[in-house]
Amino acid sequence: MKTIQFLIAVILVSLTTNAQITKGNWMVGGSGSFYSYQLKDNYGTNSGMGIELRPNVGLFIKDKLVIGITPLFAYSKSENGSSVTSYGIGPYIRYYLLQPENRVNVLTHVGYAYSGSNNSNDKSTAFDFKVGPALYFNSSVALEMTLNYSLNKLNSSTDYNIFSLGLGFQIHLEK
C-alpha cells in the first residue's frame, strides 16, 4: 500500500513540476567532464586523460535563454607521466529547446574560455559546445548529461580538440 501511495505522490509531483527557466531567474551550479586526448605536434604524439570542473552562474535574460560566466579548473596527465593543472574563466550562453513546463528538457550551450596553467607560461583559448538532456527533480534542481566538444588553441600555435562526456547539476533560483 505504501508503494502505491509513493507512486501516486511521484506522479502528482511530476505533473505539477515547472522548471524555473524563465526571464529574471538565476542559475547556479556546475559540471564536470572526463576525457582522453591525443595531441599531435612537431615534437610527436602525446596522449593521456583529464578531468575538468566548471562551476557556473547565469541569469535568464529571456525565457529559456541564459547568459553567464564560468571558471574552469582542469587536470590532465599524459602517458609519459607529466601532468598539467589549468585554470581559467569565460562567458557562456545556453538555450533550452523545450517548454519550461517539461520535466525533461534539452539544453544547448556555447562557451568561451581563456586559461593558463601552473606548469608553464602556456595560455589557451577554447570554444566549447554542449548538448544534452536536463532532468528536473523538482522546479529548481536539474541533473544534466551532456556531450561536449571543445576547440582549443594553445599559445596561438597548436590546435587541439576534445570530445568528452559531462555531468552537471544546476539550481534554478526564482526571481
Side-chain angles (χ1 to χ4, degrees):
M1 185 67 178
K2 288 186 179 188
T3 304
I4 293 172
Q5 290 173 342
F6 176 74
L7 289 174
I8 291 171
V10 168
I11 291 169
L12 289 175
V13 168
S14 65
L15 291 175
T16 60
T17 298
N18 188 9
Q20 300 298 325
I21 58 174
T22 54
K23 184 177 178 179
N25 292 339
W26 286 88
M27 181 177 76
V28 294
S31 63
S33 59
F34 304 95
Y35 59 89
S36 64
Y37 66 89
Q38 186 172 35
L39 178 62
K40 295 178 184 178
D41 60 15
N42 296 337
Y43 305 107
T45 301
N46 186 11
S47 59
M49 298 183 75
I51 184 172
E52 183 177 275
L53 300 173
R54 289 182 179 236
N56 64 273
V57 63
L59 175 66
F60 284 89
I61 59 170
K62 183 179 169 183
D63 287 359
K64 306 188 300 180
L65 180 66
V66 63
I67 59 169
I69 192 160
T70 182
L72 157 72
F73 306 99
Y75 175 81
S76 63
K77 187 167 187 172
S78 67
E79 285 181 340
N80 68 13
S82 65
S83 64
V84 175
T85 302
S86 302
Y87 48 89
I89 194 163
Y92 71 90
I93 187 166
R94 177 178 288 195
Y95 185 75
Y96 291 86
L97 299 177
L98 305 177
Q99 294 305 311
E101 304 83 40
N102 291 351
R103 182 129 171 114
V104 176
N105 212 318
V106 178
L107 69 93
T108 57
H109 172 111
V110 177
Y112 173 82
Y114 178 78
S115 62
S117 73
N118 67 337
N119 299 28
S120 65
N121 290 328
D122 290 342
K123 301 294 181 213
S124 167
T125 58
F127 283 100
D128 61 286
F129 307 91
K130 299 179 185 183
V131 64
L135 310 169
Y136 287 88
F137 298 119
N138 58 35
S139 65
S140 300
V141 180
L143 177 68
E144 302 170 347
M145 295 165 279
T146 58
L147 294 174
N148 310 329
Y149 185 70
S150 181
L151 303 164
N152 301 273
K153 185 176 279 296
L154 181 62
N155 286 340
S156 301
S157 62
T158 304
D159 294 337
Y160 61 100
N161 304 329
I162 297 174
F163 179 75
S164 62
L165 299 173
L167 189 62
F169 185 75
Q170 301 296 333
I171 298 173
H172 299 267
L173 304 172
E174 233 179 309
K175 51 185 160 181

